CSV table of all heavy atoms in Angstrom, one decimal:
chain,number,residue,atom,x,y,z
A,335,GLY,N,93.3,116.0,87.1
A,335,GLY,CA,94.3,116.9,86.5
A,335,GLY,C,95.7,116.5,86.7
A,335,GLY,O,96.1,115.9,87.7
A,336,ALA,N,96.5,116.7,85.7
A,336,ALA,CA,97.9,116.2,85.6
A,336,ALA,C,98.9,117.4,85.6
A,336,ALA,O,98.6,118.4,85.0
A,336,ALA,CB,98.2,115.3,84.5
A,337,LYS,N,100.0,117.2,86.2
A,337,LYS,CA,101.1,118.2,86.1
A,337,LYS,C,101.6,118.2,84.7
A,337,LYS,O,101.9,117.2,84.1
A,337,LYS,CB,102.2,117.9,87.1
A,337,LYS,CG,103.3,118.9,87.2
A,337,LYS,CD,103.0,120.0,88.1
A,337,LYS,CE,104.2,120.9,88.4
A,337,LYS,NZ,103.8,122.1,89.2
A,338,ASP,N,101.9,119.4,84.2
A,338,ASP,CA,102.4,119.6,82.8
A,338,ASP,C,103.9,119.3,82.8
A,338,ASP,O,104.7,120.1,83.2
A,338,ASP,CB,102.1,120.9,82.3
A,338,ASP,CG,102.6,121.1,80.8
A,338,ASP,OD1,102.8,120.0,80.2
A,338,ASP,OD2,102.7,122.2,80.3
A,339,LEU,N,104.3,118.1,82.4
A,339,LEU,CA,105.7,117.6,82.5
A,339,LEU,C,106.0,116.9,81.2
A,339,LEU,O,105.2,116.4,80.5
A,339,LEU,CB,105.9,116.6,83.6
A,339,LEU,CG,105.7,117.2,85.0
A,339,LEU,CD1,105.6,116.0,86.0
A,339,LEU,CD2,106.8,118.1,85.4
A,340,PRO,N,107.3,116.9,80.8
A,340,PRO,CA,107.7,116.2,79.6
A,340,PRO,C,107.4,114.7,79.7
A,340,PRO,O,107.5,114.1,80.8
A,340,PRO,CB,109.2,116.4,79.5
A,340,PRO,CG,109.5,117.6,80.4
A,340,PRO,CD,108.5,117.6,81.4
A,341,ALA,N,107.1,114.1,78.6
A,341,ALA,CA,106.8,112.7,78.6
A,341,ALA,C,108.1,111.9,78.8
A,341,ALA,O,109.2,112.3,78.5
A,341,ALA,CB,106.2,112.3,77.2
A,342,MET,N,107.9,110.7,79.5
A,342,MET,CA,109.0,109.8,79.7
A,342,MET,C,109.7,109.4,78.4
A,342,MET,O,108.9,109.0,77.5
A,342,MET,CB,108.6,108.6,80.5
A,342,MET,CG,108.2,108.8,81.9
A,342,MET,SD,107.9,107.2,82.7
A,342,MET,CE,106.7,106.5,81.6
A,343,ALA,N,111.0,109.3,78.3
A,343,ALA,CA,111.7,108.8,77.1
A,343,ALA,C,112.1,107.4,77.4
A,343,ALA,O,113.3,107.1,77.4
A,343,ALA,CB,112.9,109.7,76.8
A,344,MET,N,111.1,106.5,77.7
A,344,MET,CA,111.4,105.2,78.0
A,344,MET,C,110.2,104.3,77.7
A,344,MET,O,109.1,104.6,78.1
A,344,MET,CB,111.8,105.1,79.5
A,344,MET,CG,112.3,103.7,80.0
A,344,MET,SD,112.3,103.6,81.8
A,344,MET,CE,112.9,105.2,82.3
A,345,ASP,N,110.4,103.2,77.0
A,345,ASP,CA,109.3,102.3,76.8
A,345,ASP,C,109.3,101.2,77.9
A,345,ASP,O,110.1,101.1,78.7
A,345,ASP,CB,109.4,101.7,75.4
A,345,ASP,CG,110.6,100.8,75.1
A,345,ASP,OD1,111.2,100.4,76.1
A,345,ASP,OD2,110.9,100.5,74.0
A,346,GLY,N,108.2,100.4,77.8
A,346,GLY,CA,108.0,99.4,78.8
A,346,GLY,C,109.0,98.3,78.8
A,346,GLY,O,109.4,97.8,79.9
A,347,LEU,N,109.6,98.0,77.7
A,347,LEU,CA,110.6,96.9,77.7
A,347,LEU,C,111.9,97.4,78.4
A,347,LEU,O,112.5,96.7,79.2
A,347,LEU,CB,111.0,96.5,76.2
A,347,LEU,CG,112.0,95.4,76.0
A,347,LEU,CD1,111.4,94.1,76.6
A,347,LEU,CD2,112.3,95.2,74.5
A,348,GLU,N,112.3,98.6,78.1
A,348,GLU,CA,113.5,99.1,78.8
A,348,GLU,C,113.3,99.2,80.3
A,348,GLU,O,114.1,98.9,81.1
A,348,GLU,CB,113.8,100.5,78.2
A,348,GLU,CG,115.0,101.2,78.9
A,348,GLU,CD,115.4,102.5,78.4
A,348,GLU,OE1,114.7,103.0,77.4
A,348,GLU,OE2,116.3,103.2,78.9
A,349,MET,N,112.1,99.7,80.6
A,349,MET,CA,111.8,99.8,82.0
A,349,MET,C,111.8,98.5,82.8
A,349,MET,O,112.3,98.4,83.9
A,349,MET,CB,110.4,100.5,82.2
A,349,MET,CG,110.0,100.9,83.6
A,349,MET,SD,108.4,101.6,83.7
A,349,MET,CE,108.5,103.0,82.6
A,350,LYS,N,111.3,97.5,82.1
A,350,LYS,CA,111.2,96.1,82.7
A,350,LYS,C,112.6,95.6,83.0
A,350,LYS,O,112.9,95.2,84.1
A,350,LYS,CB,110.5,95.2,81.8
A,350,LYS,CG,110.5,93.7,82.4
A,350,LYS,CD,109.8,92.8,81.4
A,350,LYS,CE,110.7,92.3,80.4
A,350,LYS,NZ,110.2,91.2,79.6
A,351,TYR,N,113.5,95.7,82.0
A,351,TYR,CA,114.9,95.2,82.2
A,351,TYR,C,115.6,96.0,83.2
A,351,TYR,O,116.4,95.5,84.0
A,351,TYR,CB,115.6,95.1,80.9
A,351,TYR,CG,115.2,93.8,80.1
A,351,TYR,CD1,114.4,93.9,79.0
A,351,TYR,CD2,115.6,92.6,80.6
A,351,TYR,CE1,114.0,92.8,78.4
A,351,TYR,CE2,115.3,91.4,79.9
A,351,TYR,CZ,114.4,91.5,78.8
A,351,TYR,OH,114.1,90.4,78.1
A,352,ARG,N,115.4,97.3,83.2
A,352,ARG,CA,116.1,98.2,84.2
A,352,ARG,C,115.7,97.8,85.6
A,352,ARG,O,116.5,97.8,86.5
A,352,ARG,CB,115.7,99.7,83.8
A,352,ARG,CG,116.6,100.7,84.6
A,352,ARG,CD,116.2,102.1,84.2
A,352,ARG,NE,114.9,102.5,84.8
A,352,ARG,CZ,114.7,103.8,85.1
A,352,ARG,NH1,115.6,104.7,84.9
A,352,ARG,NH2,113.6,104.1,85.7
A,353,PHE,N,114.4,97.6,85.8
A,353,PHE,CA,113.8,97.2,87.1
A,353,PHE,C,114.4,95.9,87.6
A,353,PHE,O,114.8,95.7,88.7
A,353,PHE,CB,112.3,97.2,87.0
A,353,PHE,CG,111.6,97.0,88.3
A,353,PHE,CD1,111.6,97.9,89.3
A,353,PHE,CD2,110.8,95.8,88.5
A,353,PHE,CE1,110.9,97.7,90.5
A,353,PHE,CE2,110.1,95.6,89.7
A,353,PHE,CZ,110.2,96.6,90.7
A,354,ILE,N,114.4,94.9,86.7
A,354,ILE,CA,114.8,93.6,87.0
A,354,ILE,C,116.3,93.6,87.4
A,354,ILE,O,116.7,93.0,88.4
A,354,ILE,CB,114.6,92.6,85.9
A,354,ILE,CG1,113.1,92.3,85.7
A,354,ILE,CG2,115.4,91.3,86.1
A,354,ILE,CD1,112.7,91.6,84.5
A,355,ARG,N,117.1,94.3,86.6
A,355,ARG,CA,118.6,94.4,86.9
A,355,ARG,C,118.8,95.1,88.3
A,355,ARG,O,119.7,94.8,89.0
A,355,ARG,CB,119.3,95.1,85.8
A,355,ARG,CG,119.3,94.4,84.5
A,355,ARG,CD,119.6,93.0,84.5
A,355,ARG,NE,119.6,92.4,83.2
A,355,ARG,CZ,119.3,91.1,83.0
A,355,ARG,NH1,119.0,90.3,84.0
A,355,ARG,NH2,119.2,90.6,81.8
A,356,TYR,N,117.9,96.1,88.6
A,356,TYR,CA,118.1,96.8,89.8
A,356,TYR,C,117.8,95.8,91.0
A,356,TYR,O,118.5,95.8,92.0
A,356,TYR,CB,117.1,98.0,89.9
A,356,TYR,CG,117.1,98.7,91.2
A,356,TYR,CD1,118.1,99.6,91.5
A,356,TYR,CD2,116.0,98.5,92.1
A,356,TYR,CE1,118.1,100.3,92.7
A,356,TYR,CE2,116.0,99.3,93.3
A,356,TYR,CZ,117.1,100.1,93.6
A,356,TYR,OH,117.1,100.8,94.8
A,357,ILE,N,116.8,95.0,90.9
A,357,ILE,CA,116.5,94.0,91.9
A,357,ILE,C,117.6,93.0,92.0
A,357,ILE,O,118.1,92.7,93.1
A,357,ILE,CB,115.2,93.3,91.6
A,357,ILE,CG1,114.0,94.2,91.7
A,357,ILE,CG2,115.0,92.1,92.5
A,357,ILE,CD1,112.6,93.6,91.3
A,358,GLU,N,118.1,92.5,90.9
A,358,GLU,CA,119.2,91.6,90.9
A,358,GLU,C,120.5,92.2,91.6
A,358,GLU,O,121.1,91.5,92.4
A,358,GLU,CB,119.6,91.1,89.5
A,358,GLU,CG,118.5,90.3,88.9
A,358,GLU,CD,118.9,89.8,87.5
A,358,GLU,OE1,119.6,90.5,86.8
A,358,GLU,OE2,118.4,88.7,87.1
Side-chain angles (χ1 to χ4, degrees):
K337 184 80 169 176
D338 185 15
L339 297 167
M342 290 187 305
M344 187 191 323
D345 65 16
L347 184 62
E348 178 181 355
M349 188 182 301
K350 179 182 80 170
Y351 280 105
R352 191 178 77 147
F353 185 67
I354 289 171
R355 297 310 180 209
Y356 178 76
I357 292 175
E358 291 181 331

